[in-house]
Amino acid sequence: MSAPFDRSLTGDLAADVTPEWAVSPQAGDEERVVESALRPHSLHDFIGQPKVARQLALVLEGAKRRGRTPDHVLLSGPPGLGKTSLALIIGSELGTSVKITSGPAIERSGDLAAMLSNLAPGDVLFIDEIHRIARPAEELLYMAMEDFRVDVVVGKGPGATAIPLEINPFTLVGATTRAGLLTGPLRDRFGFVGQMEFYEPAELQRVLARSAALLGVELTDEGSAEIAGRSRGTPRIANRLLRRVRDYAEVEADGRVTLQVAEAALALYDVDHLGLDRLDRAVLEALVGKFGGGPVGVATLAVAVGEEPHTVEEVCEPFLVRAGLLARTPRGRVATEAAWEHLGRPVPRGGVPLGRVTADPPVPGSSSETLFDA
């Protein structure tokens, strides 16, 4: 039996993502090496997501007792919450290999057919960002998931012939951060769907305690609580901040991560008590200081902070909205009262303009049209 944590068959899980921010939920290439050492190897060691973990344990145990492969598994949720870890744990619990690839790496149906034909009985195929898989490959996946068979087309035109190819029974584990982009036929073929939720601070403290033990870091309860509170409910961010604080503690202090050391280190890395970094605060400062709290289009807001609109929309806005600091409206982005208070600015007389968000779309040329357009 091969090791359960095999390397990727093809492609790079994050070839188009190179995060530069301490609180980005995405992982860079070098960080994935560190993450692999911190990942749990069993459901017993997996921290958080109690509902998903319990349901998944029942699915796996039932399949093992019947001597069959488990149903295909779909894990959805924001990045950094443990979807890849759970996929590897499934292989570990089943005692089989895990073959890893990503949706963008599967450009042709032949690529997928080659992977499927190389799977041993009971193997786990993990496809990250499965919503980005090419449509021809997705259609080939339908038959493979249901009947463990693929049709390989040989030749072109009128002389083309479909040759049926039997494949070994396997379990597909798909991970997606955009469940709404999955097609209905693909979603319906998964027997188990797990929705990953953000972690509570207490759960993140348990994650940090485990990571600190593996990294050999002396972490106090107060220091752990401070890091957990600034980690945006995401274990990946918590582990990254722990490593940055560890560096500070080893260079500037006695190596112990205390409350004072954590506060000083996180201040140095521009992560405030809510978990906002430099770019997050720049977006709020521009929205409040330059545009009076909005509404303002995301393109205009991105120019004001010197970033691409995609970066503002995909990296900053999700957490700012979840933290109640920013609202997306039909007219543009609007800063909430909490944003004004967080920046230490007086709330405008009469309150922020959130009351206008439910109004009908502005008529071109009318006085109610938004001043700053996307």
Side-chain angles (χ1 to χ4, degrees):
M1 181 183 69
S2 58
F5 303 142
D6 282 356
R7 297 182 64 182
S8 167
L9 284 178
T10 180
D12 184 359
L13 294 181
D16 56 345
V17 179
T18 305
E20 299 177 358
W21 301 277
V23 290
S24 169
Q26 303 287 355
D29 295 338
E30 295 182 0
E31 187 171 19
R32 291 185 183 278
V33 177
V34 180
E35 281 189 351
S36 64
L38 299 179
R39 283 195 174 109
H41 293 174
S42 68
L43 284 172
H44 177 74
D45 296 330
F46 188 81
I47 299 172
Q49 311 297 335
K51 187 174 182 179
V52 173
R54 175 59 176 162
Q55 293 171 344
L56 191 56
L58 293 175
V59 170
L60 298 180
E61 183 60 28
K64 287 191 289 186
R65 293 188 179 187
R66 291 189 299 270
R68 300 175 59 88
T69 58
D71 288 339
H72 303 297
V73 176
L74 176 65
L75 302 173
S76 65
L81 298 185
K83 296 187 292 295
T84 301
S85 295
L86 278 180
L88 298 177
I89 286 174
I90 290 174
S92 179
E93 295 283 350
L94 297 175
T96 60
S97 297
V98 180
K99 309 298 183 181
I100 305 175
T101 186
S102 63
I106 305 176
E107 299 177 351
R108 297 177 295 273
S109 58
D111 298 335
L112 181 61
M115 290 184 221
L116 294 172
S117 62
N118 288 326
L119 293 175
D123 274 358
V124 174
L125 176 62
F126 174 54
I127 303 180
D128 197 12
E129 297 299 320
I130 194 172
H131 64 272
R132 296 176 61 185
I133 191 173
R135 182 53 59 87
E138 179 181 322
E139 293 175 352
L140 181 74
L141 195 57
Y142 297 160
M143 187 179 298
M145 295 173 69
E146 285 189 336
D147 303 325
F148 301 118
R149 180 175 70 89
V150 294
D151 289 338
V152 180
V153 179
V154 179
K156 295 183 179 180
T161 303
I163 301 177
L165 176 65
E166 299 293 331
I167 59 177
N168 291 313
F170 72 100
T171 298
L172 174 66
V173 179
T176 178
T177 56
R178 308 284 293 276
L181 297 183
L182 283 175
T183 61
L186 180 58
R187 187 186 304 109
D188 292 342
R189 283 170 169 80
F190 286 99
F192 172 78
V193 178
Q195 175 63 44
M196 310 289 282
E197 304 289 346
F198 286 102
Y199 282 55
E200 296 296 329
E203 294 174 325
L204 287 177
Q205 284 191 259
R206 293 169 56 200
V207 171
L208 287 168
R210 180 180 180 275
S211 299
L214 293 173
L215 293 172
V217 179
E218 187 177 353
L219 178 65
T220 67
D221 292 340
E222 294 79 7
S224 173
E226 187 65 24
I227 297 174
R230 305 192 190 198
S231 298
R232 303 188 179 206
T234 306
R236 176 176 292 156
I237 296 176
N239 285 329
R240 183 185 302 138
L241 294 181
L242 174 63
R243 297 197 302 273
R244 299 290 74 80
V245 174
R246 174 196 60 180
D247 296 339
Y248 182 92
E250 291 177 350
V251 175
E252 300 291 341
D254 60 359
R256 295 178 68 246
V257 177
T258 63
L259 173 61
Q260 293 74 21
V261 169
E263 288 177 338
L266 295 174
L268 179 64
Y269 287 106
D270 287 328
V271 180
D272 67 17
H273 67 279
L274 288 184
L276 274 62
D277 67 356
R278 177 199 59 80
L279 184 57
D280 298 321
R281 289 193 299 275
V283 169
L284 289 183
E285 288 283 0
L287 185 56
V288 169
K290 297 180 180 179
F291 305 114
V296 58
V298 65
T300 304
L301 193 58
V303 171
V305 298
E307 290 288 350
E308 295 294 327
H310 175 80
T311 301
V312 174
E313 194 167 15
E314 298 295 329
V315 176
C316 298
E317 285 191 352
F319 179 71
L320 293 178
V321 171
R322 186 161 60 90
L325 301 174
L326 181 144
R328 290 176 173 177
T329 77
R331 297 163 54 95
R333 275 56 176 174
V334 176
T336 66
E337 287 189 14
W340 291 79
E341 295 170 355
H342 182 70
L343 297 176
R345 295 172 176 264
V347 179
R349 184 175 300 177
V352 296
L354 284 177
R356 299 201 298 262
V357 302
T358 57
D360 293 332
V363 179
S366 69
S367 59
S368 62
E369 188 176 0
T370 180
L371 178 61
F372 304 106
D373 214 353

